[in-house]
Amino acid sequence: MLDRSAPVFVAGHRGLVGSSVLRRLQVEGFSDLRTVGREDLDLRDQSAVDAWFDAERPRYVFLVAGTVGGIHANSTRPAEFLYDNLMIHGTVVQAAHRTSVDKLLYLGSSCIYPRLADQPITEEALLSGPLEPTNEGYALAKIAGIKLCETYRRQYGDDFISAMPTNLYGPGDNFDLEGGHVLPALMRRFHEASEAGDASVTVWGTGSARREFLHVDDLADACLFLMDHYSGAGHVNVGTGVDLTIRELAEAVRDLVHPSAELIFDTTKPDGMPRKVLDVSRLSDLGWTASTSLVDGLVDTYRWFLDAAERGELRL
Ligand code: GFB
């Protein structure tokens, strides 16, 4: 168990995951949470990160910072996704090692697995085949991050662990129509169509790709669970183990936001990986399972979207 009074660094605290981890740690009674905005610290800069760690001396680190985005952002900005993430992972892991951080959690992504991996995807599928081209840069950086944690553990004995979440969504998501992920993009598109009185909404791709969606508060709960109870070398999948087609997802969002809308599929847009659902038996054997249903999660996220829009706080 982590010491609730020790200093904890949440790297990336303004993002979807980081803000949820921060909320979870606050609820759990952690009394010394440390954060820093990107205007004050460029996590790609080793000497700046070193200086920050020397000054703040965190005992635990949740490394959930990174350049992230959906299929379009990944495929049009591969250099940024590769460079930013490689650097951020390297600087923080190295600084954590140098300052003898007690425990670090690194967050990967299910896109590290081969495009045609057997489904559901087990942890062993890593590096067993070619990657999905639309997010190769991001996936390579994430794989390097996993290997950093593994090698620092092997060479130096550092207690650095890795979690691999599936596709995430929830309060604090990025609702940018071009750069964001499918669920917030569809939610916003249906919302704007409803406001404008439009009868149809465009969905990218064929609608037949299959994805699994995990509420970000479940992920934050799993991250704390792993930090409290897991110290193994192997990365651990985090998901629900349940997937659906993009068409089914679009229908669920439509039913909630704009029930009369017709779906139009833009097949000039890529589907990406044909299917991506995680085998979560390693995590459930450890004692953790997700608790938020997709329907409840959609309602919660849409409520947050409406509130944030009213406050003018949406990330668009
Ligand atoms: O969420 P998404 O961009 O992530 O797309 P990936 C998932 C699927 O939804 C794809 C379809 O088949 C898209 O074609 N889709 C339909 C849409 N309408 C839309 C839309 O309006 N916006 C978006 N974005 N998609 C990402 C990776 O892949 O997954 C990242 O690029 C990251 O590296 C993330 O790992 C979890 O699952 O395809």
Side-chain angles (χ1 to χ4, degrees):
M1 286 280 276
L2 303 188
D3 172 358
R4 272 47 182 164
S5 64
V8 183
F9 177 32
V10 180
H13 70 289
R14 289 191 187 135
L16 170 67
V17 176
S19 55
S20 179
V21 166
L22 209 54
R23 288 194 298 274
R24 183 73 188 85
L25 295 177
Q26 279 159 351
V27 167
E28 190 65 25
F30 282 84
S31 56
D32 190 358
L33 298 172
R34 313 274 172 108
T35 58
V36 59
R38 69 175 63 196
E39 63 285 2
D40 294 316
L41 176 62
D42 182 350
L43 288 173
R44 299 169 303 179
D45 178 344
Q46 185 75 64
S47 56
V49 172
D50 280 340
W52 193 87
F53 269 76
D54 283 336
E56 301 284 330
R57 289 277 159 178
R59 254 179 76 195
Y60 308 126
V61 174
F62 288 79
L63 176 44
V64 298
T67 293
V68 298
I71 193 165
H72 179 72
N74 265 273
S75 49
T76 52
R77 294 163 44 210
E80 279 172 71
F81 279 80
L82 180 53
Y83 176 79
D84 288 359
N85 291 306
L86 270 179
M87 296 305 286
I88 290 169
H89 304 157
T91 62
V92 175
V93 165
Q94 169 61 16
H97 162 68
R98 195 182 52 76
T99 57
S100 305
V101 159
D102 282 355
K103 194 161 188 176
L104 174 146
L105 176 124
Y106 168 74
L107 205 66
S109 161
S110 58
C111 72
I112 58 162
Y113 293 116
R115 170 179 167 79
L116 298 177
D118 287 344
Q119 308 283 330
I121 311 173
T122 62
E123 286 86 353
E124 285 69 34
L126 182 64
L127 292 174
S128 63
L131 297 166
E132 157 62 34
T134 55
N135 56 34
E136 193 183 46
Y138 184 69
L140 285 168
K142 287 283 167 192
I143 292 170
I146 299 170
K147 292 296 169 188
L148 273 175
C149 293
E150 274 179 32
T151 53
Y152 274 64
R153 173 180 292 277
R154 192 159 74 234
Q155 185 173 344
Y156 305 120
D158 291 323
D159 193 1
F160 294 172
I161 61 171
S162 301
M164 292 309 114
T166 192
N167 287 36
L168 302 168
Y169 71 98
D173 213 339
N174 174 5
F175 286 82
D176 183 318
L177 291 176
E178 289 295 310
H181 290 102
V182 59
L183 195 153
L186 286 181
M187 191 167 273
R188 178 169 161 203
R189 220 174 279 138
F190 278 105
H191 175 77
E192 289 180 352
S194 168
E195 300 271 280
D198 294 342
S200 63
V201 166
T202 301
V203 180
W204 295 355
T206 62
S208 62
R210 300 186 70 91
R211 293 290 184 276
E212 170 191 14
F213 295 93
L214 179 71
H215 192 284
V216 70
D217 291 348
D218 280 348
L219 173 71
D221 193 55
C223 288
L224 180 57
F225 175 85
L226 287 169
M227 283 292 264
D228 273 339
H229 302 293
Y230 181 73
S231 281
H235 56 283
V236 181
N237 287 343
V238 187
T240 63
V242 177
D243 64 344
L244 76 174
T245 65
I246 294 300
R247 175 189 286 275
E248 288 165 338
L249 173 74
E251 287 169 352
V253 176
R254 174 192 62 190
D255 293 350
L256 176 68
V257 179
H258 185 12
S260 63
E262 184 198 346
L263 306 182
I264 295 173
F265 290 90
D266 177 358
T267 53
T268 64
K269 295 283 200 299
D271 274 342
M273 254 171 101
R275 189 175 183 206
K276 202 164 39 165
V277 59
L278 294 177
D279 181 316
V280 289
S281 40
R282 183 173 290 175
L283 185 55
S284 56
D285 288 350
L286 288 167
W288 188 93
T289 47
S291 58
T292 310
S293 72
L294 183 60
V295 172
D296 288 348
L298 287 176
V299 169
D300 175 57
T301 306
Y302 190 46
R303 193 180 303 125
W304 184 88
F305 170 87
L306 294 174
D307 288 347
E310 207 167 294
R311 292 194 306 271
E313 287 173 9
L314 277 182
R315 282 199 293 146
L316 299 174

